[in-house]
Amino acid sequence: MHLGAVFDLDFSLCCGQVFRWRKIGDTWYGVIGETVLKIRQTGCELEFEGANEEFVRRYFGLNDDLAQIHRCVAKDTYIKKALQQFEGLRLIRQEPWECLIGFICSAYKNIAAIEQMLKKLSEKYGKKYVFDGKEFYLFPTPESLATASENGLRECGLGYRAKYVQLTARKILDEKVDLDLLKAMSYLEAQKKLLEFQGVGLKVADCVLLFSLEKFEAFPVDVWVKRVILNHYADQLPPVMVKKMQSHNSLTNGEYLKISAFARDYFGRYAGYAQEYLYHYERTQR
């Protein structure tokens, strides 16, 4: 498939938005719902197996007008550096269920640990699938995680998150929740719905909204993004708030909401795109 737009497969898969892709040589393998996708990029060409072009275009956000998005968020020299450094990074359209569980598991864990947790979870509770001579595991269904024992989930490395995963799966089943319906809601309405799940705070909700529900105004704030804000955008915030934020490593809900509101106002409707570029740029500068 010829790419008619700027895209970088490696940047998009290595920036912390997905956790169950693996690279073998120059080829990436990923499990998306019940689809196993094999894909590699050579210049402006994408070669893939396991799905059709429409699926690939949607999943990798290839229909997003990246040039327009960049023009909208390029408000200062720092973000312009991030946009230039990682040109072609796109927001992926993940399966909402997997995205929700993945980010519940992500709390206070680095990317490598999250990847390991979700790998073990899928191998233990997901369906095995052989593709291209390799074994893959579909992500566990809500049914399989709702009926899993808490100890069994803990054996996958989830720790205290095991209870949250179990309760979230049960809520999905008992209330017949269709996460895709959140796309039709406003950002704040959808965020409120996600916050009803055990183990979902503001940051996890915003990650799910941004990476699977197409709420591009969502601006997840973690320690890296807090650092970006304090180091490069402090002059845009109340001095008292900045001083308080500098005095502790964590982030209160009040501080989170103020940073998120500032970012949505400053970067506009594609604040989430700005967040991902800033987050990845900050992490790779050290």
Side-chain angles (χ1 to χ4, degrees):
M1 179 180 92
H2 181 73
L3 285 164
V6 177
F7 175 57
D8 193 294
L9 182 63
D10 285 351
F11 290 162
S12 300
L13 292 176
C14 294
C15 64
Q17 56 177 323
V18 289
F19 306 113
R20 292 212 309 131
W21 281 83
R22 57 175 164 155
K23 194 175 188 182
I24 301 173
D26 63 350
T27 301
W28 284 95
Y29 291 86
V31 183
I32 307 150
E34 296 188 357
T35 299
V36 178
L37 182 63
K38 173 185 179 182
I39 187 166
R40 70 173 181 171
Q41 181 175 8
T42 306
C44 293
E45 298 290 329
L46 278 182
E47 300 173 32
F48 52 86
E49 293 177 36
N52 60 30
E53 182 174 328
E54 183 183 354
F55 183 97
V56 170
R57 284 193 174 279
R58 183 193 171 279
Y59 182 76
F60 288 106
L62 295 175
N63 295 322
D64 293 352
D65 188 340
L66 210 55
Q68 181 198 9
I69 291 167
H70 283 200
R71 285 193 297 271
C72 288
V73 303
K75 300 293 182 72
D76 55 76
T77 54
Y78 190 70
I79 183 122
K80 285 177 182 176
K81 288 178 184 176
L83 292 169
Q84 184 178 19
Q85 179 83 15
F86 295 109
E87 186 179 16
L89 187 162
R90 289 173 180 267
L91 292 181
I92 289 170
R93 310 303 199 266
Q94 298 178 47
E95 292 291 309
W97 159 248
E98 179 175 345
C99 191
L100 175 61
I101 296 301
F103 279 99
I104 287 175
C105 290
S106 75
Y108 303 105
K109 287 286 185 179
N110 61 35
I111 291 173
I114 301 164
E115 290 174 344
Q116 194 61 24
M117 260 192 287
L118 297 180
K119 179 176 182 288
K120 289 180 179 178
L121 198 66
S122 299
E123 288 174 352
K124 186 166 186 174
Y125 297 105
K127 181 181 174 183
K128 187 164 81 170
Y129 193 101
V130 177
F131 175 81
D132 203 30
K134 300 172 180 61
E135 287 185 359
F136 297 90
Y137 290 85
L138 305 186
F139 196 74
T141 62
E143 290 84 356
S144 62
L145 294 185
T147 55
S149 70
E150 189 176 338
N151 283 340
L153 293 170
R154 284 179 177 271
E155 287 170 3
C156 298
L158 272 63
Y160 68 88
R161 304 163 193 79
K163 189 69 175 175
Y164 298 152
V165 166
Q166 188 185 62
L167 290 172
T168 291
R170 287 177 182 170
K171 182 178 175 69
I172 293 276
L173 287 181
D174 294 345
E175 299 180 17
K176 297 180 173 57
V177 177
D178 183 351
L179 293 170
D180 279 308
L181 294 180
L182 273 60
K183 292 178 184 176
M185 297 182 183
S186 70
Y187 161 68
L188 290 176
E189 287 174 328
Q191 184 191 61
K192 186 178 178 181
K193 281 291 182 185
L194 286 173
L195 290 172
E196 294 175 4
F197 289 102
Q198 292 287 330
V200 176
L202 291 166
K203 185 244 178 180
V204 169
D206 276 346
C207 285
V208 177
L209 291 165
L210 181 59
F211 300 136
S212 70
L213 295 169
E214 300 180 6
K215 301 300 181 190
F216 296 136
E217 66 268 53
F219 192 86
V221 184
D222 68 351
V223 291
W224 293 102
V225 176
K226 177 186 174 182
R227 194 173 296 163
V228 168
I229 297 297
L230 288 177
N231 290 343
H232 304 283
Y233 299 95
D235 59 339
Q236 306 275 351
L237 300 170
V240 173
M241 177 184 164
V242 171
K243 189 173 182 180
K244 186 181 176 186
M245 284 171 57
Q246 290 170 334
S247 70
H248 55 84
N249 293 325
S250 59
L251 200 66
T252 67
N253 279 350
E255 290 166 348
Y256 185 105
L257 290 169
K258 286 175 182 173
I259 290 174
S260 181
F262 152 71
R264 292 198 304 277
D265 181 61
Y266 182 75
F267 292 114
R269 61 194 177 115
Y270 296 114
Y273 253 104
Q275 186 274 355
E276 196 58 19
Y277 275 87
L278 290 169
Y279 166 81
H280 196 45
Y281 187 63
E282 183 72 13
R283 284 175 59 242
T284 54
Q285 296 307 296
R286 297 176 182 274

